[in-house]
Every structure is written in C-alpha cells, then in structure tokens.
Amino acid sequence: MQFNGLSQPYTRGQALPDLLKQRILILDGAMGTMIQQYKLSEADYRGLPGNTRFADHPGDIKGNNELLVLTQPQIISKIHEQYLDAGADIIETNTFGATSVAQEDYKMAGLAREMNEISARLARAACEKYSTPDKPRFAAGAIGPTPKTASISPDVNDPGARNVTFDALRTSYREQIEGLFAGGVDLFLVETIFDTLNAKAALFALDEFFEETGERLPVMISGTVTDASGRILSGQTVEAFWNSLRHIKPLTFGLNCALGAALMRPYIAELSRICDTAVSCYPNAGLPNPMSDTGFDETPDITSSLVDGFAKDGLVNLVGGCCGTTPDHIRAIANAVAKRKPRAFYRENAEESV
C-alpha cells in the first residue's frame, strides 16, 4: 500500500507514487486551447438546438468552458481522448473554473456541484477506455484558483479590501471536491496558484474532506510564477511557496502556465533542489501571441525540446502542457522524455523514504 505521508494509505490512485519513480509521467495539455478550435457560438455554449435547458438563461455564457460538460459533453470527451491517444498518463477534468465563486460570473453558481461530478465522469470514462495493464490512465480533479484573491486588494485606494473571504473559498472548494470525488477522480490537482491563501483554502477543504470521509487521494500542487521576479502574484518566491504548503505532503509539487518553459527553468531547478517530493512542470507554449492560431508561438518541437531539457538534467517527474499546447505538443513531449530517467526524490537519500 502506498502512503501519503499522513499515516494512511491512498484509497485511490495507489499506483501513482511507484509510477513516478519508474518513469516520467505525462500530464495532458490545454483544454481551453482545444475548445477554442471549435469556434463555438453563444448558442453552442447553451447546447442549442438539441439541449434547451439553458435557452433562457440570462446574460451571455459564451466562454464558460466548464458548462460544456453539460451542453457539449461529446466535445470534452473527444479532447480527453485526443490527449490520451497522444500518450497522457493523467488527464485533468474540465473543472478549472467549476466553483460557485467562479461561476457567479455567469450566474451559474448553483451548477458547480453538477459540473464537477459530470466532468469527472467524462474524464474517468475516457481513462477507462484507454487504460491497459502496462499503462493505466488517471483522472485528476482540476481545482483552479478562482478569479478572486484572498490576499490582494482589488481596490488600489483601499489596501485592506478583499473581494472574497477564506471561508467563502473553503466552502466553494469543498463543494467542488465532493462533486469531483463522486464522479470518480483518482487524484486532485490544485493548480495555477497565484495566491497561496486561495490554495490553502482549497487544501484545507481537501483535508476536511479526507478527515470526514476516511478517503485519501493523492494531491498535486502547481503554482504559477507571473513575472521575471520569480514570485507568484501574492508575493512569494518559489522556495517560500514550497515551504508554505509542504506540510500537505503532496504527491507532486511544481509550476505551470505563465512564462513558458524557457523562462520557467530556473524556478523548476530551484524546486528540484529543495522539494522532497516529485516535481511537476507543465508550461505554456511560450509567451502569449494573439496573432497565433493557438495564442502562443511554440510548436510541438520547440516545447518538447525545452521540456526534454528539464528531463535530461534530472529536474522533473511529471511533465505536460498548459495554455497553447495541444495533443501534438503532448505527443512530442511524451516521445522526447520516454528515454529519460525520472528525478530521484530527495527523501530517497534521506532517513525518511518516500
């Protein structure tokens, strides 16, 4: 049995710790980038004409990608399968913004629980279709940061102002977690963290859920460095970020999004040096470029070469792609790192083994 560092065995995703030691695992790429290629209209987001459930919903809902698991589930399933066919070991549920806090923007907060459960079922079904004894596939419940921040004032004239509270975030995340679990996810991924306090609300909700249910699932944590200062938006360096959350005993800890692989390298190298758990990295396809078809410039060859550089130097255990990456990027990354050995966990050289 695999333990999570909290004295109890995992009840799902038990194979993941050993797999991370055996080879570099592959995460999927961008969901939003793939959805954009469908050029969906407002009517498409509502599911019209076949699905009239949201025909009269007030306000525009175009762009609410999480709603598509209810109105266009076949599109989400197809994207999952494309990433699995490209070699992904882990795919993320389409739930990055599926919290009541985030869904308030579309007046759909009441749908959050349903969105998460259905999204998890779609991802789990895709994994079951592609899993083999030699290559099991896993569904990660994606938990995004929400559009609000508990640490930073939205009003330059009032530094003490906040547009969300810790308790509101915790409650919203707990609802998301329950939906994802009910839908069958194998692990949870708290990702694109720009505010450590938001992340702590999500992780607190996870801890409560585990404590109350007796379940224990692997938890992956991934932050985002927003500029060349090497800090997340709420001000922490990557070392401080790690030390703030290491008590969670995550399965993986790393970075995604933002800078692209080339600019992300020094921060991944730093985490590789200090983390006593597996390190993850799934960067954007370079810096944003609105003139590009995907919004980003890097081709699969470029992104995979950069990510392979991390693998070659023994910095990572799990890699994939974020904004601007496609199944072609993931296939190229998977092929490139297949010949590389995973990073040795720090604890393997310490008194406490992983």
Side-chain angles (χ1 to χ4, degrees):
M1 299 290 284
Q2 289 295 336
F3 288 77
N4 63 355
L6 300 178
S7 77
Q8 294 192 22
Y10 289 138
T11 53
R12 294 183 187 176
Q14 297 95 331
L16 282 166
D18 282 341
L19 288 173
L20 284 164
K21 294 179 184 179
Q22 295 167 16
R23 60 185 175 87
I24 296 175
L25 296 188
I26 306 299
L27 187 68
D28 62 3
M31 175 63 73
T33 297
M34 294 299 290
I35 290 173
Q36 288 172 12
Q37 295 182 11
Y38 284 86
K39 302 186 185 305
L40 301 177
S41 67
E42 176 72 21
D44 292 328
Y45 271 89
R46 292 175 185 267
L48 302 173
N51 183 341
T52 59
R53 178 181 177 184
F54 303 105
D56 300 322
H57 185 81
D60 293 337
I61 57 177
K62 182 179 178 180
N64 188 1
N65 288 345
E66 290 72 23
L67 179 64
L68 295 175
V69 302
L70 305 181
T71 59
Q72 302 285 351
Q74 74 284 354
I75 290 177
I76 304 305
S77 292
K78 183 176 181 179
I79 293 171
H80 285 323
E81 292 186 12
Q82 286 177 289
Y83 279 122
L84 290 165
D85 185 66
D89 297 289
I90 302 172
I91 58 170
E92 300 179 52
T93 56
N94 182 39
T95 53
F96 185 83
T99 55
S100 58
V101 169
Q103 286 297 315
E104 286 175 1
D105 291 348
Y106 296 99
K107 300 181 176 64
M108 290 186 162
L111 296 174
R113 174 62 165 72
E114 181 183 5
M115 287 178 176
N116 282 282
E117 182 168 350
I118 297 302
S119 187
R121 292 189 187 283
L122 293 176
R124 187 62 248 161
C127 287
E128 290 173 2
K129 181 176 179 179
Y130 277 80
S131 287
T132 66
D134 293 335
K135 191 174 175 66
R137 312 299 181 101
F138 303 89
I143 299 175
T146 84
K148 298 184 178 182
T149 168
S151 294
I152 303 170
S153 172
D155 184 354
V156 295
N157 297 312
D158 185 2
R162 296 292 184 270
N163 59 10
V164 71
T165 66
F166 183 90
D167 281 343
L169 287 169
R170 177 181 61 83
T171 300
S172 181
Y173 281 129
R174 176 60 184 265
E175 179 183 42
Q176 180 175 39
I177 290 160
E178 290 176 351
L180 289 169
F181 181 83
V185 297
D186 303 292
L187 66 155
F188 293 103
L189 170 55
V190 182
E191 65 173 338
T192 321
I193 298 165
F194 63 82
D195 184 339
T196 307
L197 191 56
N198 283 39
K200 286 189 173 185
L203 295 166
F204 188 85
L206 275 168
D207 193 52
E208 281 187 322
F209 177 77
F210 292 155
E211 183 69 24
E212 292 173 17
T213 63
E215 299 286 345
R216 288 292 186 276
L217 275 65
V219 175
M220 297 167 57
I221 297 176
S222 184
T224 183
V225 172
T226 54
D227 57 44
S229 71
R231 297 173 182 267
I232 64 173
L233 189 62
S234 56
Q236 287 185 311
T237 63
V238 293
E239 182 175 7
F241 176 55
W242 159 247
N243 284 315
S244 293
L245 300 178
R246 63 183 301 178
H247 65 282
I248 299 298
K249 304 291 186 183
L251 174 70
T252 69
F253 195 93
L255 299 174
N256 72 288
C257 201
L259 301 179
L263 297 177
M264 193 184 284
R265 183 183 175 91
Y267 313 119
I268 290 295
E270 176 71 0
L271 288 178
S272 180
R273 183 182 67 83
I274 63 177
C275 285
D276 59 1
T277 190
V279 168
S280 66
C281 176
Y282 54 109
N284 286 351
L287 296 173
N289 177 8
M291 303 302 292
S292 169
D293 289 341
T294 62
F296 295 80
D297 281 332
E298 287 183 4
T299 63
D301 287 346
I302 295 172
T303 302
S304 63
S305 176
L306 292 167
V307 172
D308 184 42
F310 298 165
K312 180 182 178 181
D313 293 340
L315 303 180
V316 290
N317 302 93
L318 180 144
V319 294
C322 202
C323 305
T325 59
T326 66
D328 287 340
H329 288 78
I330 298 307
R331 182 174 286 103
I333 289 171
N335 290 338
V337 305
K339 60 184 179 295
R340 307 297 184 190
K341 293 182 179 180
R343 164 184 170 271
F345 289 23
Y346 179 76
R347 287 187 205 166
E348 291 180 348
N349 299 317
E351 293 183 1
E352 179 186 5
S353 63
V354 174

